[in-house]
Amino acid sequence: NAGVMQNPRHLVRRRGQEARLRCSPMKGHSHVYWYRQLPEEGLKFMVYLQKENIIDESGMPKERFSAEFPKEGPSILRIQQVVRGDSAAYFCASSPSAGGVTEAFFGQGTRLTVV
Amino acid sequence: DAKTTQPTSMDCAEGRAANLPCNHSTISGNEYVYWYRQIHSQGPQYIIHGLKNNETNEMASLIITEDRKSSTLILPHATLRDTAVYYCIVRVGMGGSEKLVFGKGTKLTVNP
């Protein structure tokens, strides 16, 4: 059973370009969480999605950031018109359900560098 | 905001037990304590979780006080590969949102 897969592992974008980060959850997992980690800082929650639904986006910046988790395919975190301050590691986690007690499993992250 | 308090850093000798404390004095009755670790900017790794009973798995033991206001993660025989930032998390949830809220964690350094 493959773990949470994120791609690309490293992404370089020029200021003003769009960044698309992909996350394929573990098999059987229908809940996805995105986190951002700035250099030398902790992980900050961004958004929690279930299939085709955004459950909690309280950590998402109001502009330029969006996330989706379609019925088919991976979850996508999209950053439009990137700025240098978006440079960070973006981690995705998945869990099988929100009800009950289940651990979330994390991917290895996408390191975004904006030049 | 994180609902836990942990020491910023700790050191441990290789082969000895590492005991990482965590305070969560405002924990609710239905909230669990989770521990994760992050090794050098890799993705966080799940370690263990518990409600009120002590728990043990192949990685670690979790001791939760009777009043549930604090807990201790125990790595029984620390190795150099256990050097990481350890996060104690109380899992919050309202209306189906079960996100993990990370604090600053404890940076554990295992020394040879």
Side-chain angles (χ1 to χ4, degrees):
Chain A
N1 187 10
V4 178
M5 304 300 293
Q6 291 188 248
N7 67 82
R9 292 292 305 276
H10 300 274
L11 181 62
V12 179
R13 283 287 176 265
R14 296 185 184 279
R15 281 178 293 171
Q17 291 185 319
E18 178 180 283
R20 285 176 145 242
L21 289 63
R22 295 175 185 76
C23 170
S24 296
M26 290 181 68
K27 186 176 181 180
H29 287 194
S30 58
H31 300 259
V32 165
Y33 312 78
W34 284 93
Y35 289 79
R36 178 168 63 176
Q37 187 171 35
L38 296 170
E40 305 302 322
E41 294 190 12
L43 291 102
K44 300 297 184 186
F45 168 78
M46 298 182 74
V47 63
Y48 161 41
L49 310 100
Q50 296 177 22
K51 283 287 188 180
E52 300 184 277
N53 290 304
I54 296 175
I55 306 302
D56 182 347
E57 56 181 348
S58 58
M60 285 280 271
K62 299 300 181 189
E63 298 177 348
R64 301 188 298 108
F65 285 72
S66 63
E68 62 178 11
F69 189 17
K71 186 177 181 180
E72 301 291 338
S75 176
I76 305 290
L77 179 67
R78 181 184 303 164
I79 312 172
Q80 297 177 303
Q81 300 176 323
V82 295
V83 300
R84 288 215 171 119
D86 297 332
S87 295
Y90 292 83
F91 292 98
C92 164
S94 73
S95 68
S97 68
V101 182
T102 57
E103 59 267 32
F105 296 91
F106 283 79
Q108 290 305 303
T110 294
R111 272 117 187 115
L112 172 65
T113 302
V114 179
V115 297
Chain B
D1 291 337
K3 297 169 67 172
T4 62
T5 304
Q6 299 176 252
T8 303
S9 63
M10 293 183 65
D11 284 87
C12 177
E14 187 178 19
R16 304 297 294 269
N19 298 290
L20 291 88
C22 179
N23 287 320
H24 31 80
S25 58
T26 61
I27 191 170
S28 300
N30 61 349
E31 289 180 316
Y32 286 69
V33 180
Y34 282 76
W35 283 83
Y36 280 76
R37 72 180 181 183
Q38 188 175 28
I39 299 173
H40 189 54
S41 299
Q42 295 179 19
Q45 178 187 23
Y46 166 80
I47 301 173
I48 199 168
H49 72 270
L51 180 63
K52 49 186 174 182
N53 296 323
N54 298 337
E55 302 288 344
T56 295
N57 63 19
E58 65 278 5
M59 289 182 68
S61 294
L62 174 60
I63 309 298
I64 302 174
T65 58
E66 192 169 342
D67 64 7
R68 302 210 323 124
K69 292 185 177 182
S70 65
S71 60
T72 301
L73 179 75
I74 301 173
L75 307 178
H77 305 287
T79 70
L80 298 179
R81 287 177 293 182
D82 292 323
T83 292
V85 178
Y86 287 77
Y87 297 97
C88 169
I89 300 165
V90 169
R91 194 166 195 182
V92 302
M94 283 191 343
S97 173
E98 301 282 342
K99 63 191 178 192
L100 294 161
V101 179
F102 288 81
K104 296 185 183 301
T106 296
K107 181 172 174 53
L108 174 69
T109 302
V110 181
N111 300 304

